[in-house]
Amino acid sequence: MFFRKVIYIGESQGQAIYVHVDEPRNPLAAPKSKLLNTAAARGNRKHIILSICALLAMSGILQILPATRFFTGVYSYGTLIYFLLTWLLEVILLLVIVERALYKNVSLAEPTSKENFRRAVNSNLFWNNFSDKKVTLSKKLFAWVFTVFMAVMGLVGPISVLSMLVLKMMGTPIGSEIFPLSLMGILPAVAALLLWQNNMIRWLKAVERYRNHCVKKEIE
């Protein structure tokens, strides 16, 4: 199956919390990876955003300074191979890092308490973007729209760049645009991350099923 059965929920008391999508009433806990630190990530979000803005600004400055040549020569099929290898490396590196951060010790996961599950849900960075802690239709729609959009961009972005290189840029001088084009591999990497490693849609579904089961159990 393409989609994993056990998905990451969040952190609780130094452990990574998971749930089996077919049995959400039984949360699991495993020792978390050293790469996984939600608290630090939450505190660093502003720095990450500022870093991205700085990179975008730098790319914009380089675009208006065409005389700046860090690469010489013209676009060729060798350049095409360079892009493909660079994008592949970006995809592999990002997915390997996230896989080790979220699922390194998942094989050691054992049943845990619903209190740990609750803490894990509340620690999730995606969940903390919302003021109300409920699984609603609007959140589901947002997760679907964002996931589908990134999946399409992950496919269309690199294909568009390759088409532009083959049809329009072959034989033209290499300029500063090679830097943002070299980062295009991040799009398919993020698409794969959202679809397979950290799927928001399945995360919301697991949380909803778990809470519905708890409510049903309390009523009974």
Side-chain angles (χ1 to χ4, degrees):
M1 293 292 291
F2 177 75
F3 294 111
R4 61 172 77 241
K5 287 294 185 180
V6 177
I7 61 174
Y8 170 78
I9 296 297
E11 293 179 51
S12 175
Q13 297 184 325
Q15 292 181 304
I17 307 301
Y18 305 92
V19 70
H20 195 290
V21 292
D22 295 330
E23 299 178 8
R25 63 185 179 277
N26 298 320
L28 305 168
K32 72 174 187 176
S33 167
K34 293 181 180 180
L35 295 174
L36 185 60
N37 193 331
T38 302
R42 185 182 296 111
N44 288 332
R45 277 188 296 181
K46 291 182 179 180
H47 297 89
I48 293 172
I49 293 174
L50 290 174
S51 298
I52 293 174
C53 290
L55 286 173
L56 292 175
M58 185 177 297
S59 298
I61 293 173
L62 290 174
Q63 292 285 2
I64 62 177
L65 296 174
T68 304
R69 302 291 189 206
F70 294 96
F71 284 80
T72 58
V74 297
Y75 285 100
S76 64
Y77 285 102
T79 317
L80 191 65
I81 294 174
Y82 156 77
F83 280 122
L84 290 174
L85 292 177
T86 301
W87 297 343
L88 180 61
L89 181 61
E90 290 168 357
V91 171
I92 292 174
L93 283 177
L94 180 58
L95 295 187
V96 167
I97 290 172
V98 175
E99 182 71 17
R100 289 187 62 82
L102 299 185
Y103 296 100
K104 180 182 178 181
N105 298 316
V106 67
S107 61
L108 305 176
E110 297 180 351
T112 189
S113 66
K114 64 179 183 180
E115 181 62 24
N116 271 337
F117 183 88
R118 184 188 65 79
R119 290 196 191 100
V121 171
N122 291 334
S123 76
N124 192 284
L125 296 179
F126 164 67
W127 194 241
N128 285 331
N129 287 318
F130 304 101
S131 57
D132 61 316
K133 305 304 180 183
K134 296 180 180 179
V135 179
T136 61
L137 179 60
S138 60
K139 291 186 180 69
K140 293 179 183 178
L141 288 175
F142 170 80
W144 270 102
V145 170
F146 185 74
T147 301
V148 171
F149 173 77
M150 290 307 302
V152 172
M153 289 300 296
L155 179 64
V156 173
I159 291 177
S160 299
V161 172
L162 292 176
S163 299
M164 180 177 63
L165 287 171
V166 173
L167 299 177
K168 295 183 179 180
M169 299 179 69
M170 285 296 180
T172 62
I174 296 175
S176 56
E177 73 283 341
I178 196 170
F179 290 104
L181 292 180
S182 297
L183 298 176
M184 193 61 63
I186 293 176
L187 289 179
V190 171
L193 190 157
L194 290 175
L195 288 172
W196 185 54
Q197 289 181 318
N198 202 13
N199 190 305
M200 292 187 294
I201 301 168
R202 303 179 82 231
W203 189 92
L204 287 171
K205 182 179 179 181
V207 172
E208 182 179 41
R209 290 182 63 186
Y210 180 85
R211 290 185 170 178
N212 287 344
H213 173 78
C214 290
V215 171
K216 182 180 178 180
K217 190 173 182 180
E218 289 176 1
I219 293 175
E220 292 175 350

